[in-house]
Amino acid sequence: MSAILSPAVPNEVVPIATPPSAIGAPAYYRFKPWNVGRIVIWSLFALMLIAAPHVFTSSLALTMLSQMGYAIIICLSYNILLGQGGMLSFGHAVYTGLGSFIAIHAMNRAAEGALPIPLVLIPVVGGLAGMFFAALLGWVTTKKSGTTFAMITLGVGELVASMALMFPGFFGGEGGITTDRVYGQPFLGFDFGPGIQVYYLIAVYCFVCTALMFAFTGTPLGRMLNAVRDNPERVAFVGYNPQRVRYMGFVVAGFFAGVGGGLAAINFEIVTAMDSVSILRSGSYLLFTFLGGATFFFGPIIGGVLMVIATVFLSELTKAWMLYLGLIFLFMVMYAPGGIASLIMLNLRLAKYGKLGRIVWAYLPLAGTALVMTLGVAAMVEMIYHLQLNSALGDELRFLGMTLHVRSAESWLGAVAVFLTGLGLFELTRRAYLRQWHQIQETIAREIERGEATA
């Protein structure tokens, strides 16, 4: 399977029978043929990073692309804990945020001439800071697993967030720490003043860190993390210390989280405790990594993109964006716990067996009725928010080109009618879709059985 479409759990190594003549022969290494699919996927990923600012040319798009770059790194680093190690952390922003603060202090010291660190190495400084604090706090944090681990990380996150006002010299108080990223000699002709130059710096780190974290999944430590997640008792039985494995994975995740934090400091030229180490920031990393799909390597990449779209774009459209996000998270947990990546892989499985064409047309009525139901809910939510927050602006509300009167019974009845109509039609199409889906799955199962019987 290709690199970015690979699951977080690497495939098991299948032993190959050794011929009798080879017994006692000296060991040697054979190089496998190149994985063409993997090369294509990574090449496309690099081309997307290079071409993105030329396709989306507005200043807002460039800002969002830069944020997506380091959000991908942070979500992938969080997935080392959640997807690979099964460690549900509520304090991952601690290592991202502390990496940002150390990075911005290093930038200020370098600008004064006290540290000979060029800007291109500042993310590495942030990564080393994240690794240091992960090594310092992780030894206690990883003593336990499961719910206890989650509660400890929550406590550590709150502890660091509360220290922000206690140490204003380091955290800068409520105003944070500012800097100027243009300092020292240009690097290969780039002074990183323009936003496009900062984007490409972030893109390079995004590609390199993504490749390194994918390579980490195939290392002995990465595979032992999978084993500790699935069966820590068996890991201890074969001679490994599960706590030490969790701790080492925690430190690796802290390094990449710090790299993402350092890139964020370069991009914004300001770091505040509220935006960097708060529990809300840790919650967003958890939420979007889960939405993207923690069981697949490329899931957090989707999650990082969605996080920027939600926090930058969706938050500008409506004040109720967090409510919508919570509802999406709720339905994903109930109906697609594998995240968006799992839905993609399910359809790729259908395409592999040539059955995607039979189900793709069932998606259209399902999506259409879901959209109608969503419009009814959104109209009611927006009217409620208008009554509570914007009542001084009058009783009229512009919603998708329509004018709603928030104190009129007709607007409320209309929204309820749209919702109920969409709900009824969605239920009918959902049942028809499920029948067709189960038929296709049974057909695929029979084909697999026939293939195994003839093999």
Side-chain angles (χ1 to χ4, degrees):
M1 189 172 292
S2 59
I4 294 183
L5 294 182
S6 297
V9 184
N11 296 328
E12 294 182 358
V13 178
V14 180
I16 301 176
T18 304
S21 60
I23 297 177
Y28 64 95
Y29 295 95
R30 292 184 300 174
F31 293 94
K32 296 181 180 179
W34 286 10
N35 189 326
V36 178
R38 180 173 295 179
I39 295 174
V40 170
I41 291 294
W42 283 101
S43 299
L44 289 175
F45 183 44
L47 288 175
M48 287 175 58
L49 293 174
I50 294 171
H54 300 286
V55 177
F56 305 99
T57 57
S58 67
S59 58
L60 175 61
L62 184 61
T63 301
M64 292 179 65
L65 289 172
S66 298
Q67 294 182 48
M68 287 177 185
Y70 59 77
I72 288 172
I73 298 174
I74 296 172
C75 288
L76 283 171
S77 70
Y78 184 79
N79 199 49
I80 292 176
L81 302 179
L82 181 62
Q84 281 190 263
M87 294 179 279
L88 178 63
S89 173
F90 290 115
H92 197 61
V94 169
Y95 311 101
T96 303
L98 291 177
S100 294
F101 277 106
I102 294 295
I104 203 166
H105 282 296
M107 290 170 66
N108 288 332
R109 296 285 290 171
E112 297 170 358
L115 290 175
I117 303 176
L119 186 74
V120 293
L121 295 181
I122 289 296
V124 178
V125 174
L128 293 175
M131 176 184 286
F132 169 78
F133 287 108
L136 181 65
L137 301 173
W139 185 254
V140 176
T141 306
T142 56
K143 287 286 187 181
K144 302 293 182 179
S145 60
T147 305
T148 307
F149 171 85
M151 294 299 101
I152 293 174
T153 59
L154 177 63
V156 170
E158 290 291 346
L159 176 65
V160 174
S162 64
M163 291 171 61
L165 297 178
M166 299 170 60
F167 300 98
F170 179 78
F171 292 99
E174 295 182 354
I177 304 293
T178 60
T179 189
D180 184 2
R181 62 173 175 252
V182 181
Y183 68 87
Q185 297 297 321
F187 179 78
L188 298 178
F190 299 102
D191 61 2
F192 301 104
I196 187 68
Q197 295 182 9
V198 175
Y199 165 77
Y200 279 117
L201 176 64
I202 294 173
V204 169
Y205 271 97
C206 178
F207 184 83
V208 172
C209 290
T210 302
L212 290 175
M213 281 185 275
F214 177 75
F216 175 75
T217 63
T219 62
L221 175 58
R223 298 195 177 199
M224 287 307 300
L225 268 175
N226 299 146
V228 169
R229 176 198 62 195
D230 297 333
N231 197 331
E233 291 81 7
R234 189 169 184 178
V235 170
F237 179 77
V238 298
Y240 288 91
N241 187 337
Q243 186 270 333
R244 186 168 298 174
V245 173
R246 287 194 300 267
Y247 174 68
M248 295 175 68
F250 196 88
V251 172
V252 172
F255 172 78
F256 288 107
V259 171
L263 291 171
I266 293 174
N267 185 50
F268 287 114
E269 299 179 290
I270 184 173
V271 179
T272 61
M274 182 60 66
D275 293 331
S276 300
V277 297
S278 66
I279 188 63
L280 293 177
R281 183 62 63 181
S282 294
S284 66
Y285 297 150
L286 164 62
L287 189 149
F288 285 102
T289 301
F290 182 88
L291 286 181
T295 55
F296 296 91
F297 181 80
F298 74 102
I301 298 177
I302 299 175
V305 173
L306 291 178
M307 181 169 67
V308 176
I309 293 175
T311 55
V312 176
F313 183 71
L314 187 60
S315 61
E316 295 294 327
L317 293 179
T318 173
K319 294 181 179 180
W321 69 277
M322 294 189 70
L323 174 62
Y324 298 135
L325 195 60
L327 291 174
I328 293 172
F329 182 74
L330 174 64
F331 284 108
M332 289 295 290
V333 171
M334 294 173 61
Y335 299 109
I340 296 174
S342 67
L343 301 179
I344 294 174
M345 295 305 293
L346 284 174
N347 285 278
L348 287 179
R349 181 174 183 268
L350 297 182
K352 177 182 178 181
Y353 290 96
K355 301 295 188 295
L356 185 60
R358 292 177 52 184
I359 198 70
V360 69
W361 295 107
Y363 288 144
L364 297 179
L366 196 67
T369 54
L371 179 61
V372 173
M373 180 176 61
T374 302
L375 288 177
V377 173
M380 289 187 285
V381 169
E382 294 300 324
M383 286 192 288
I384 292 173
Y385 266 71
H386 186 85
L387 284 172
Q388 296 296 325
L389 302 176
N390 296 325
S391 59
L393 300 179
D395 296 339
E396 292 186 355
L397 169 66
R398 296 292 296 174
F399 177 74
L400 298 178
M402 300 179 294
T403 301
L404 301 177
H405 298 274
V406 296
R407 300 188 187 274
S408 171
E410 295 179 357
S411 295
W412 286 95
L413 291 175
V416 172
V418 171
F419 167 68
L420 293 178
T421 302
L423 179 62
L425 295 175
F426 177 79
E427 183 62 23
L428 292 176
T429 55
R430 186 185 70 87
R431 293 179 180 180
Y433 166 80
L434 287 178
R435 286 194 297 268
Q436 190 173 1
W437 175 268
H438 290 312
Q439 291 173 1
I440 292 175
Q441 295 300 321
E442 291 174 358
T443 303
I444 292 176
R446 288 194 295 268
E447 290 183 5
I448 294 176
E449 291 177 357
R450 286 196 298 266
E452 292 176 348
T454 57

